[in-house]
Amino acid sequence: MNLITATGLIAADQLDMELVERKGAGHPDTLADGVAEAISRAYSAYCLQHFGAILHHNTDKTALLGGAAEVTFGHGHLTDPIVALVNGRLTPALGTHAIPVEQIIATATTDFLTGALPMLNADTDLVIRSRMSQASSPGAVAGPTADQRAGRRFWFAPRSLDDLPELARMFANDTSAGVGYAPFGVAERLALEIESSLTSPEFTSTHPWFGTDVKLMIVRTGARLHLTACVPQIAAHTPDLDTYIAHRTQAKEVVTDLAAGLAPGHRVRVSVNTRDDDKRRELYLTAIGSSIESGDEGVVGRGNRANGLISMLRPMSMEGVSGKNSVYHVGKLYNLAAQKVAMRLHEETGRTYAVALVSQSGRDLEDPWQVLVQASGEEWLDPALTRKTVTTVMNDLDDIRSALLAGELPTA
């Protein structure tokens, strides 16, 4: 690796301003990320169980098309279903062993969406359309080498595990970059903690009238925090307008209390559901707790970055992490690894770090082409410690893979 270091980064909580968004668990973009990742995990688990290796796949172009819903106080139902467009590539077989790709897609999609949206009736309110191809990426040139082992021709049609080149040498599938930084700033911590609290099973079980399509936008200037929250209500638990207004007031109080506890010493101003027009009965009232029920769409990579945030004044990669193969896709692994490097360096030194890992297509996966590390302050940045930390994380990519396959490491 070529290691480039710099100082002068402003410490997270010394930034003059922050602008942070977080899309909640039930937001259409977050749901699309979740579906893509759930399918990748399920497909990977099948491959490991039957073949001992994960075959080539990616579902990171998945999208959700919103349905249509009719809501009134006390009742809501979908009038048109949500459509899951599962786009990507999944290897359909290893030799003569056919893989039940469509079944894996259907089961993973249904299980994830009904888990994320408990009021969704999968039998009537969900349509799944998979559009899988098996074409390899560019690189296969017709000629006398077309039948070679581990060649491009057999990328998605392997005759045996010998046709998986990564089993002989793990290499980067793309020229790309992953970024990470640590620690989080005040607004970033607020966005993560407040959304997680409002969409947690504990909160929704005691507040069943709130849906999970929560969205937060936070602006911090100095010690002032301006927070706008969109919090849906579920029609079946909201019998009239007065109840809706009371629930909205309750949501504002909950968010205000959480913010005050998480950001002591800051002046907090909270707004909730600013588009509501009570007189016109134009409200964030839903059947299942998410705007996916009524015309909104969700697409992988349009929502939270791999660290769970959309932090507009911090470094970020536009890679859609969810649904990529966890074996060698740098768009996934390098973003997660860069975050891990930044966190370890921060824990070691107490300084703020921004880290970028840059790959070269075909280069050894564990050996990034370029590594850019910037730290807060002006003190000398120890290149030996930095290189050792990067090397340790890159040599332990299996830890990241294991956490991803176990569903323990969020990708959005």
Side-chain angles (χ1 to χ4, degrees), residues 353-392:
Y353 285 86
V355 176
L357 305 176
V358 189
S359 67
Q360 264 186 335
S361 187
R363 186 184 179 96
D364 285 350
L365 185 67
E366 294 86 357
D367 182 26
W369 171 47
Q370 305 284 338
V371 177
L372 288 71
V373 178
Q374 187 178 16
S376 60
E378 300 299 334
E379 309 96 281
W380 179 71
L381 190 59
D382 185 353
L385 172 63
T386 306
R387 185 178 294 274
K388 177 183 177 182
T389 304
V390 174
T391 301
T392 299

Side-chain angles (χ1 to χ4, degrees), residues 4 31 38 57 70 76 81 132 136 152-153 161 192 195 222 224 230 284-285 289 315-316 339 351 363 377 382 388:
I4 304 168
L31 293 173
H57 72 280
E70 182 177 295
M132 296 293 108
S136 71
R152 284 284 189 176
R153 177 179 173 185
L161 293 181
L192 286 168
E195 186 280 327
R224 294 184 179 183
C230 298
Y284 199 3
L285 189 66
M316 68 170 69
Q339 183 64 32
R351 299 166 75 175
R363 186 184 179 96
D382 185 353
K388 177 183 177 182

Side-chain angles (χ1 to χ4, degrees), residues 212-280:
T212 56
D213 188 0
V214 173
K215 180 176 176 180
L216 298 174
M217 186 71 75
I218 303 177
V219 176
R220 180 181 66 80
T221 54
R224 294 184 179 183
L225 283 159
H226 302 268
L227 192 155
T228 294
C230 298
V231 184
Q233 294 187 35
I234 294 176
H237 298 286
T238 309
D240 50 47
L241 178 59
D242 287 344
T243 303
Y244 180 91
I245 294 172
H247 289 167
R248 186 176 61 204
T249 300
Q250 183 185 45
K252 181 175 180 178
E253 292 171 349
V254 169
V255 172
T256 300
D257 289 346
L258 285 170
L262 292 166
H266 289 73
R267 286 169 286 177
V268 181
R269 180 180 177 182
V270 175
S271 302
V272 175
N273 294 4
T274 56
R275 190 175 173 178
D276 280 358
D277 188 326
D278 297 347
K279 292 181 179 179
R280 295 169 60 91

Side-chain angles (χ1 to χ4, degrees), residues 74-120:
H75 176 74
H77 67 278
L78 270 69
T79 56
D80 285 313
I82 299 162
V83 180
L85 302 177
V86 182
N87 304 313
R89 293 178 287 182
L90 293 174
T91 302
L94 178 64
T96 60
H97 183 135
I99 301 171
V101 167
E102 296 302 324
Q103 179 183 333
I104 290 171
I105 290 172
T107 300
T109 301
T110 302
D111 288 352
F112 176 80
L113 288 176
T114 54
L117 302 170
M119 299 192 71
L120 177 70

Side-chain angles (χ1 to χ4, degrees), residues 8-27:
L9 185 68
I10 300 175
D13 288 340
Q14 293 178 4
L15 292 167
D16 291 334
M17 61 184 71
E18 293 181 84
L19 174 57
V20 183
E21 180 182 3
R22 178 164 166 85
K23 296 180 178 179
H27 188 284

